[in-house]
Amino acid sequence: MTKSFAYIILVVSLFMVTFANAATVPVHDPSIVIVYKDANGNSYPSNDASGSRTKYYYIFGTQVGAAYSRDMINWTAFTPTFSINGTTTNNYYQLVKNEADYAGHTTSDDVKGNLWAPDVIYNEAQGKWTMYFSLSGNEFKSSIILFTASNIEGPYSRVGSVVHGGFTNSSASIARTDYAKVTGSSTVDGRYLDNSGKWDNTYAVSCIDPSVLYDESGKLWLVYGSWSGGIFLLKLNEQTGLRDYSYNYGLGNNPVWNGTRLRFDPYMGMHLGGGYYVSGEGPYIRFLKDANGIGYYYMFISMGFYSPEGGYTMRVFRSSTVDGQYTDVTGDNAVFDKYIFNYGNNTQYGMPIMQNYKYNWWTMADVAQGHNSVLRDEDGSAYLVYHTKFDNGTAWHNVEVHQLFFNENGWPLATPFEYRVGFGLSKKQHSKEDITGRYSVITHNSVDYAKLNSNLEEEMYINADGTLTGAYTGTWTYNFSSGKHYINLITNTGTFKGVVCEQLMDGLSTKTVAFTAMNSANEKCLWGYKRTNTANITTTNYKGQSLFIGDRQYSLTWDEYTKFNKQSVSGDFEVEYLFDNYTQAAENWHNWAVAIKTSSETWHLRADAWSVGTFTGSTVNHSYTWDWAQFKDVYKNKKVRLKVSRVGTSINVFSYVDSVLVYSCSSVNSPVSSVDVYLGGETCYLDVKKISSTQLGVREVVGTTNDDGTYTVAFNSVKGNTTNVSGDFELVYKFNNYHNPTSIENWDNYILRAISGGSTMLMRADAYAMDVFGSLAYTYDWNWNNFVSIMTGANVEFRIYRSGSTITYKATITARDGKVYNYQVIQTGAPTTPMSFGFTGEESLQDFFVIEKVSYEGTDVVTGQIQIQQALYVTNVYSYEKVLYINAPDAGEVEIYNVEGKSFGRIKYNKGLNQIYGLSEGLYLIGGNKIIIY
């Protein structure tokens, strides 16, 4: 048999694996089931009406391996218990003596070593947990055995055998099987035997690897089989959990063939896959619905040998009915009509979900992924649960879980990284800026598996103009389509249809935009993740009209670079502008323009999608939303947000009018040297409100993570970079905060380091500080009972302002469920000398997206008579993007004026923090505060 030698290795390696991957678990052939437990430890298949039970995920595997988890990340290993006549036992021989004697095993260790790939399901009719274990023996004498228990962890007691393999006419053990009961004959039909009278492993099944499911009509089925005759389906009796002997297969005792493909066998059941000793094992069927609500029965089979060098891959087929026929994405039948070497370089049969791969920061590659189960959670989400091995010369293995998403053709795709709570499909549409950038991609090609080769990362650019460059060339489209996040990559090697998602990168805990896609024609999967960075931003806000480009006489000419605004940048960068574009629009080109200059060349780009000069060897393409007949009104006297971004050799430009993207373009194969970015135009003038210059550097992460995503860093032992400030200042940090999902401590979160001279104050996320200088006053709006869960994976925007000897610390915390919380600390008697700020933590990790220093220039110029309501007293009035925040000790109302002194009316506010929406972009006076909405 294919597994005999490998399982001997497995027994030896289990002890080593426990320490090598202690945070995950070495459960081979994992089968997953959802379990709810009450306060007394009783287990159920669902929650109660009050929702008081706790949800767990349990996995069961070969050689009685098992584990449970609350999050499918952190697993706790255990050994399920068994009993004989009510007495707990670990004598596995006595437990299954009838099947052990049939298989030729005589000791408990022999039996345990050959107990393979169980599946556990709750039998509604019996009101018990049912475990189906396979016992493999000599000369294919295999059995699938049913056990039941009232508790998920046991003790399980033997009920009986479901199906057998390996029987022959010369065997005295034929009486131990149910062949005669099924067929009515005590003589084994010759089709099951070869010319020597032994079990014919090209036709007859090996009775291992059980998987049990209820179909959509409530009928109970057993899927089983491995190599040999292939994969079969048996109808089970819902009351007993054993074989339904009233269900007939074939025509009397004759098999049914579809040409040269076996369709039904009277004893073995319905033939779903394999045959002729073609590889294939670990069958698992689940009914899943795609994003359009269309459902199929998806059958997963692992092909190849499951040893590290065995070319093991998970393949998927589907059918509209549970009994088939099952076909793959190109229509190939899962049942074979002759022997074929169907693994290694042959990935024609069944869509391979993934193949040997390695990310750049990994020290070992993942190889031989397989024997999976699939979880369909209560919310409809689906997860692939499997074991993987490594290219380190051992048989080490551990469990991994990847979420499954469906492309627009309804085929399941595994995400590039392991599942983490709160990540997956975004609830909102990704912008073109979100998706555009430099990606690492892994193409899941067949490799020289015998040499443990793996698929490695390549570089690809998704450009703003809709093109792809790098490892793949072509075009791309993204369709949000009511939350479905479809992406299509039309490449030089074919079309990949996939899904865009948000993920945490394995072993790094850095958030990224990723995609998973499938080229159906070539039966090949493609993974990609956007390369991460931290944006170190210097932002200047221009009050009033303190930065003008051009003049009100519209005399600016297209090449007057001395009158343009100049930003000198290097490496990967972003320069973002917010300005009012004033033009008489006599011509299309009477608008803003940008110029990017190296020491010898200039790319001059106009607002009307025209380049006056480009870089040697580069290609510029454009994407816009306007109708040229109405173009002159697109930018005329409008508020424009313009971003110029360079990542690697691609320069992307995005132009927004009133917050709507109207134009993007890309210059691919551009220079990577230092450049000057100029903002100007022709026959126009620009009233600039803000300029942000960003250096896109290596992603800053404060803390450490294990491979399994747990955080073990000690208090204040890992410190992030610091930012120096002086005078009155404003600092902004944007990051995600992670701590262990099992954490119960409020302090296992981020900690701000405020440094003045030789003193360091540590301000924790849970409203506590150490080594305080000055005096601190705290306000927050969370419930302490929920604080730990709020901070798990929370997005934090942390702003720090100093005015004289008062520093305000303000955190806006968005939990993974989308709820927003606010935390503020006012420090009086604070230092007025230069300071530094940074972060540390405890058993946590912070993933920084933005570190921004904000300054202001000029003064506000407001005309007209303005009567400010002096009675308004607020702790703070500020804005972020399009939201106005008023934090007030009491309820009240305030007059709001625009920059021309015209009243917009009055805003009512409540005590505490108020969020006010609906203000257009611009500068306002609100309660004596100058506020920019952008």
Side-chain angles (χ1 to χ4, degrees):
M1 261 304 290
T2 61
K3 291 189 174 182
S4 300
F5 175 71
Y7 270 102
I8 293 172
I9 297 176
L10 174 63
V11 175
V12 176
S13 67
L14 278 176
F15 183 78
M16 294 187 298
V17 174
T18 301
F19 291 96
N21 296 285
T24 56
V25 278
V27 175
H28 209 269
D29 310 328
S31 175
I32 192 164
V33 61
I34 295 175
V35 178
Y36 285 88
K37 299 177 76 173
D38 64 19
N40 297 318
N42 300 312
S43 52
Y44 308 88
S46 58
N47 213 333
D48 58 8
S50 65
S52 63
R53 297 171 184 166
T54 302
K55 184 178 182 180
Y56 289 86
Y57 302 94
Y58 272 74
I59 52 175
F60 295 85
T62 290
Q63 296 171 3
V64 204
Y68 61 84
S69 173
R70 293 288 313 283
D71 53 20
M72 293 190 287
I73 301 170
N74 299 286
W75 296 94
T76 300
F78 76 96
T79 301
T81 58
F82 295 85
S83 66
I84 301 175
N85 297 324
T87 301
T88 302
T89 182
N90 58 5
N91 188 325
Y92 298 104
Y93 170 74
Q94 291 295 331
L95 182 68
V96 292
K97 185 177 185 305
N98 184 69
E99 292 81 9
D101 289 344
Y102 172 70
H105 300 307
T106 59
T107 69
S108 178
D109 286 344
D110 284 344
V111 171
K112 182 180 180 182
N114 285 276
L115 283 172
W116 294 347
D119 194 29
V120 174
I121 188 172
Y122 189 82
N123 186 300
E124 298 286 350
Q126 295 182 0
K128 289 186 177 182
W129 297 101
T130 56
M131 174 187 289
Y132 294 81
F133 237 132
S134 59
L135 178 63
S136 180
N138 301 324
E139 296 181 341
F140 302 100
K141 290 183 174 64
S142 51
S143 306
I144 292 175
I145 312 165
L146 169 62
F147 303 83
T148 63
S150 297
N151 191 288
I152 187 64
E153 296 184 15
Y156 286 88
S157 58
R158 177 187 174 278
V159 175
S161 299
V162 183
V163 65
H164 306 80
F167 42 81
T168 68
N169 280 319
S170 61
S171 172
S173 62
I174 184 61
R176 295 182 183 273
T177 76
D178 63 348
Y179 178 77
K181 183 176 181 179
V182 173
T183 64
S185 172
S186 59
T187 301
V188 177
D189 193 282
R191 65 177 174 271
Y192 300 105
L193 308 175
D194 62 18
N195 292 334
S196 65
K198 295 182 179 181
W199 192 251
D200 184 355
N201 59 29
T202 64
Y203 174 88
V205 68
S206 178
C207 293
I208 61 172
D209 295 353
S211 168
V212 182
L213 75 151
Y214 284 99
D215 69 15
E216 291 302 285
S217 66
K219 295 178 181 178
L220 189 63
W221 302 90
L222 168 71
V223 189
Y224 71 103
S226 170
W227 290 57
S228 303
I231 309 302
F232 287 83
L233 180 74
L234 283 180
K235 176 70 175 62
L236 299 181
N237 182 308
E238 288 86 10
Q239 304 301 316
T240 66
L242 298 172
R243 180 179 185 133
D244 183 348
Y245 288 98
S246 68
Y247 199 94
N248 295 316
Y249 309 89
L251 303 173
N253 279 334
N254 297 314
V256 176
W257 294 82
N258 180 9
T260 54
R261 288 187 171 90
L262 176 64
R263 184 72 180 98
F264 298 99
D265 178 87
Y267 180 77
M268 297 185 298
M270 304 173 194
H271 196 197
L272 301 186
Y276 298 95
Y277 205 74
V278 174
S279 86
E281 59 189 31
Y284 202 89
I285 295 177
R286 279 294 178 267
F287 183 83
L288 303 172
K289 291 184 178 181
D290 64 17
N292 295 311
I294 300 172
Y296 286 94
Y297 291 92
Y298 292 88
M299 180 170 67
F300 297 80
I301 300 175
S302 294
M303 296 181 178
F305 287 82
Y306 80 103
S307 56
E309 69 286 349
Y312 212 44
T313 57
M314 294 173 283
R315 313 287 182 90
V316 63
F317 302 81
R318 76 183 185 189
S319 169
S320 58
T321 60
V322 70
D323 57 348
Q325 301 180 24
Y326 285 84
T327 55
D328 68 11
V329 70
T330 60
D332 291 322
N333 200 309
V335 176
F336 287 84
D337 59 1
K338 61 183 177 180
Y339 174 77
I340 291 175
F341 185 85
N342 66 329
Y343 57 100
N345 290 328
N346 187 349
T347 57
Q348 176 182 344
Y349 301 96
M351 182 69 204
I353 298 173
M354 64 181 75
Q355 302 188 68
N356 295 10
Y357 69 97
K358 182 181 180 181
Y359 287 112
N360 285 343
W361 62 92
W362 284 5
T363 58
M364 297 183 295
D366 272 16
V367 302
Q369 307 93 344
H371 201 124
N372 67 283
S373 57
V374 172
L375 172 70
R376 183 178 69 181
D377 218 334
E378 290 111 332
D379 62 358
S381 56
Y383 303 87
L384 185 76
V385 185
Y386 64 96
H387 69 250
T388 186
K389 296 183 175 67
F390 308 97
D391 64 346
N392 62 351
T394 74
W396 291 359
H397 60 91
N398 68 268
V399 172
E400 292 194 1
V401 180
H402 289 236
Q403 192 162 4
L404 291 175
F405 297 124
F406 291 84
N407 68 10
E408 62 182 338
N409 291 341
W411 283 94
L413 302 166
T415 54
F417 299 109
E418 290 185 74
Y419 169 70
R420 292 292 181 261
V421 175
F423 289 86
L425 297 184
S426 173
K427 295 180 181 179
K428 63 179 182 179
Q429 182 174 359
H430 293 286
S431 69
K432 184 176 281 191
E433 282 188 57
D434 292 336
I435 297 175
T436 298
R438 176 170 49 190
Y439 283 72
S440 283
V441 296
I442 289 181
T443 308
H444 288 273
N445 291 310
S446 57
V447 296
D448 189 341
Y449 59 88
K451 294 182 179 178
L452 293 176
N453 288 346
S454 295
N455 294 297
L456 304 177
E457 294 185 19
E458 298 179 280
E459 185 173 88
M460 184 184 80
Y461 292 89
I462 296 181
N463 300 309
D465 62 352
T467 64
L468 303 170
T469 52
Y472 288 90
T473 59
T475 60
W476 66 279
T477 61
Y478 164 70
N479 180 10
F480 180 56
S481 187
S482 301
K484 297 168 188 173
H485 295 286
Y486 293 142
I487 189 169
N488 289 335
L489 309 173
I490 302 94
T491 78
N492 52 312
T493 65
T495 298
F496 291 87
K497 292 182 178 292
V499 175
V500 177
C501 55
E502 293 179 339
Q503 289 212 268
L504 283 189
M505 298 164 65
D506 293 349
L508 297 179
S509 276
T510 52
K511 177 184 174 182
T512 188
V513 172
F515 68 80
T516 175
M518 172 194 296
N519 181 339
S520 298
N522 295 329
E523 295 180 297
K524 187 177 298 184
C525 284
L526 177 67
W527 288 353
Y529 71 90
K530 188 174 179 179
R531 294 192 184 174
T532 59
N533 54 65
T534 296
N536 289 277
I537 307 174
T538 301
T539 294
T540 304
N541 290 291
Y542 296 92
K543 298 180 179 181
Q545 297 175 337
S546 55
L547 180 59
F548 250 51
I549 297 174
D551 54 53
R552 287 186 172 87
Q553 287 70 45
Y554 304 103
S555 64
L556 186 65
T557 59
W558 73 273
D559 58 352
E560 287 187 284
Y561 294 129
T562 57
K563 296 182 179 180
F564 288 18
N565 177 270
K566 174 183 174 183
Q567 300 289 321
S568 297
V569 288
S570 61
D572 291 348
F573 68 82
E574 291 178 350
V575 180
E576 182 173 333
Y577 307 91
L578 185 66
F579 59 87
D580 292 336
N581 181 81
Y582 291 103
T583 175
Q584 295 175 327
E587 303 289 352
N588 288 346
W589 53 87
H590 291 178
N591 283 297
W592 61 265
V594 291
I596 303 173
K597 297 174 66 69
T598 68
S599 58
S600 58
E601 293 185 300
T602 300
W603 174 33
H604 185 105
L605 176 68
R606 298 190 326 209
D608 60 338
W610 182 264
S611 293
V612 183
T614 58
F615 299 121
T616 301
S618 68
T619 302
V620 178
N621 288 303
H622 312 269
S623 175
Y624 43 80
T625 62
W626 55 68
D627 180 341
W628 282 106
Q630 283 79 43
F631 174 76
K632 291 178 180 179
D633 291 326
V634 171
Y635 291 109
K636 184 177 181 181
N637 303 332
K638 299 290 180 61
K639 295 183 181 300
V640 178
R641 179 166 73 87
L642 180 69
K643 177 180 282 189
V644 180
S645 171
R646 179 174 70 183
V647 177
T649 59
S650 286
I651 300 176
N652 294 301
V653 179
F654 305 90
S655 174
Y656 296 79
V657 173
D658 295 332
S659 301
V660 176
L661 181 66
V662 297
Y663 172 50
S664 58
C665 76
S666 300
S667 175
V668 299
N669 299 319
S670 296
V672 296
S673 58
S674 298
V675 296
D676 295 323
V677 180
Y678 292 84
L679 173 66
E682 182 174 1
T683 318
C684 65
Y685 67 91
L686 312 179
D687 182 2
V688 180
K689 307 300 184 183
K690 183 178 77 171
I691 298 177
S692 296
S693 181
T694 302
Q695 191 71 46
L696 300 175
V698 175
R699 188 67 153 261
E700 181 175 347
V701 173
V702 179
T704 58
T705 179
N706 294 337
D707 287 344
D708 67 328
T710 56
Y711 311 104
T712 57
V713 63
F715 166 73
N716 197 28
S717 60
V718 175
K719 301 177 179 65
N721 297 327
T722 56
T723 302
N724 301 323
V725 292
S726 60
D728 289 350
F729 65 84
E730 180 179 344
L731 278 179
V732 181
Y733 296 90
K734 297 179 183 179
F735 59 90
N736 273 3
N737 176 81
Y738 303 110
H739 60 210
N740 297 319
T742 56
S743 175
I744 59 173
E745 307 296 353
N746 291 337
W747 51 82
D748 288 345
N749 290 295
Y750 73 82
I751 302 172
L752 176 71
R753 300 169 61 233
I755 304 166
S756 175
S759 300
T760 300
M761 178 179 71
L762 299 177
M763 182 184 297
R764 296 192 327 209
D766 60 338
Y768 182 83
M770 289 162 277
D771 301 322
V772 176
F773 34 78
S775 179
L776 303 181
Y778 303 90
T779 57
Y780 47 81
D781 58 8
W782 57 66
N783 183 321
W784 282 109
N785 293 331
N786 301 326
F787 179 73
V788 172
S789 61
I790 289 170
M791 297 304 298
T792 304
N795 177 263
V796 181
E797 180 184 303
F798 200 104
R799 290 179 175 260
I800 308 172
Y801 313 82
R802 180 167 70 180
S803 178
S805 61
T806 299
I807 301 178
T808 301
Y809 306 86
K810 183 182 297 293
T812 302
I813 302 162
T814 304
R816 295 304 303 173
D817 62 5
K819 295 181 180 179
V820 178
Y821 302 87
N822 297 276
Y823 171 39
Q824 179 174 278
V825 182
I826 296 179
Q827 181 181 27
T828 55
T832 57
T833 55
M835 297 181 68
S836 299
F837 292 89
F839 283 82
T840 183
E842 180 175 3
E843 292 193 19
S844 63
L845 180 143
Q846 290 73 48
D847 180 21
F848 284 84
F849 314 128
V850 170
I851 301 173
E852 183 178 17
K853 295 176 71 171
V854 182
S855 62
Y856 297 85
E857 289 189 8
T859 59
D860 294 311
V861 178
V862 181
T863 61
Q865 300 296 315
I866 299 179
Q867 301 293 325
I868 301 297
Q869 182 184 350
Q870 299 297 330
L872 176 72
Y873 173 78
V874 294
T875 303
N876 212 299
V877 179
Y878 61 98
S879 67
Y880 176 63
E881 294 185 344
K882 289 191 173 240
V883 183
L884 172 67
Y885 295 85
I886 297 178
N887 196 2
D890 296 296
E893 60 180 38
V894 62
E895 194 86 4
I896 177 170
Y897 301 85
N898 68 5
V899 70
E900 298 174 349
K902 296 180 180 179
S903 173
F904 270 54
R906 304 176 74 81
I907 295 176
K908 291 185 178 181
Y909 55 89
N910 299 316
K911 180 179 179 180
L913 186 67
N914 298 261
Q915 298 181 31
I916 293 140
Y917 300 83
L919 292 176
S920 301
E921 293 181 347
L923 177 67
Y924 298 92
L925 260 65
I926 304 173
N929 296 273
K930 308 173 189 68
I931 301 297
I932 296 176
I933 302 295
Y934 60 95

